[in-house]
């Protein structure tokens, strides 16, 4: 993949962490412990770039959560599973699983979770070169994200990366600067670094944007 594609894929893996991390079960039943263990296994494998192992753990977690009637955790496992397929360039599998995750979130009435899937799809469609589909997903995510959502920094990162793909320097600068402010407010170091890199790429290529 080109540089922007590699960066987007790595960022997606990070978003999978966010959407599948810090799960606090309401009880300590056997299924909760099983889901916690599968989540930890998947995230550990993802951190070590062991994507096939992450896929197995996240797939098992999604199935277990579905069987337990826990759509919230099922959706998070599916989102992480799709992101793991994406970094392996398995785009069709990633798309199918993202859509499954979105449907679970939709049935549960979780607009924020739907929006997070949409942000992941922005990166997927950008990698495939379908900027129109990516822009549509970004627009829908913007409408769905609650005002106090922790994912606004990720939204601006998606907007900035799509603008880089479209060679729209004005939007890159606006989104990156706004996103860095939000990331600072939320203490999100990883997203802030990604946005700062977007600005760096913009300054290096500015003559091409003008």
């Amino acid at each position: 993949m080109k540089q922007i594609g590699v960066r987007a894929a790595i960022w997606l893996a990070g978003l999978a962490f966010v959407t599948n991390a810090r799960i606090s079960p309401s009880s300590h039943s056997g299924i909760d412990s099983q889901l916690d263990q599968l989540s930890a296994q998947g995230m550990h494998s993802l951190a070590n770039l062991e994507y096939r192992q992450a896929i197995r753990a996240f797939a098992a977690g999604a199935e277990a959560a579905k069987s337990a009637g826990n759509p919230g955790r099922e959706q998070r496992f599916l989102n992480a599973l799709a992101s793991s397929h994406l970094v392996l360039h398995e785009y069709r599998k990633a798309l199918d699983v993202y859509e499954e995750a979105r449907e679970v979130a939709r049935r549960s009435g979780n607009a924020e979770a739907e929006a997070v899937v949409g942000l992941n799809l922005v990166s997927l469609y950008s990698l495939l070169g379908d900027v129109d589909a990516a822009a549509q997903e970004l627009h829908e995510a913007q409408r769905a994200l609650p005002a106090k959502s922790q994912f606004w920094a990720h939204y601006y990162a998606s907007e900035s990366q799509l603008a880089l793909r479209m060679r729209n320097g004005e939007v890159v600068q606006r989104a990156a600067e706004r996103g860095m402010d939000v990331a600072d407010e939320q203490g999100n170091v990883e997203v802030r670094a990604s946005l700062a890199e977007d600005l760096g790429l913009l300054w290096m290529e500015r003559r091409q944007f003008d």
Side-chain angles (χ1 to χ4, degrees), residues 64-166:
K66 181 178 181 179
S67 298
N70 190 329
R73 296 193 73 169
E74 179 189 2
Q75 189 273 336
R76 290 191 290 272
F77 274 114
L78 287 170
N79 203 31
L81 172 61
S83 296
S84 299
H85 281 301
L86 181 57
V87 296
L88 289 175
H89 310 178
E90 296 173 350
Y91 301 125
R92 172 50 60 184
K93 289 181 179 179
L95 178 59
D96 289 346
V97 179
Y98 278 139
E99 291 294 356
E100 185 179 356
R102 175 150 60 187
E103 181 57 30
V104 171
R106 184 175 293 133
R107 289 199 306 265
S108 303
N110 190 332
E112 183 176 50
E114 276 193 70
V116 169
V117 177
L119 293 179
N120 284 339
L121 285 168
V122 172
S123 291
L124 171 58
Y125 285 126
S126 293
L127 290 171
L128 295 176
D130 191 343
V131 295
D132 290 336
Q136 182 62 34
E137 292 291 350
L138 188 68
H139 176 69
E140 292 179 4
Q142 182 185 37
R143 294 176 56 189
L145 274 179
K148 300 296 184 180
S149 174
Q150 65 174 318
F151 295 108
W152 277 108
H154 292 86
Y155 168 84
Y156 289 114
S158 293
E159 184 180 26
S160 176
Q161 289 170 8
L162 178 59
L164 275 175
R165 171 71 71 174
M166 299 175 70

Side-chain angles (χ1 to χ4, degrees), residues 1-14 49 51 83 86-89 91 123 126-128 161 165 194 197-198 201:
M1 290 185 292
K2 296 180 181 179
Q3 182 181 20
I4 184 65
V6 172
R7 291 179 58 255
I10 293 173
W11 182 80
L12 255 291
L49 308 183
Y51 297 117
S83 296
L86 181 57
V87 296
L88 289 175
H89 310 178
Y91 301 125
S123 291
S126 293
L127 290 171
L128 295 176
Q161 289 170 8
R165 171 71 71 174
S194 174
E197 187 175 345
D198 287 349
L201 289 172

Side-chain angles (χ1 to χ4, degrees), residues 3 12 27-28 30-31 48 72 165 202:
Q3 182 181 20
L12 255 291
S27 66
H28 296 284
I31 185 60
N48 288 285
R165 171 71 71 174
L202 173 61

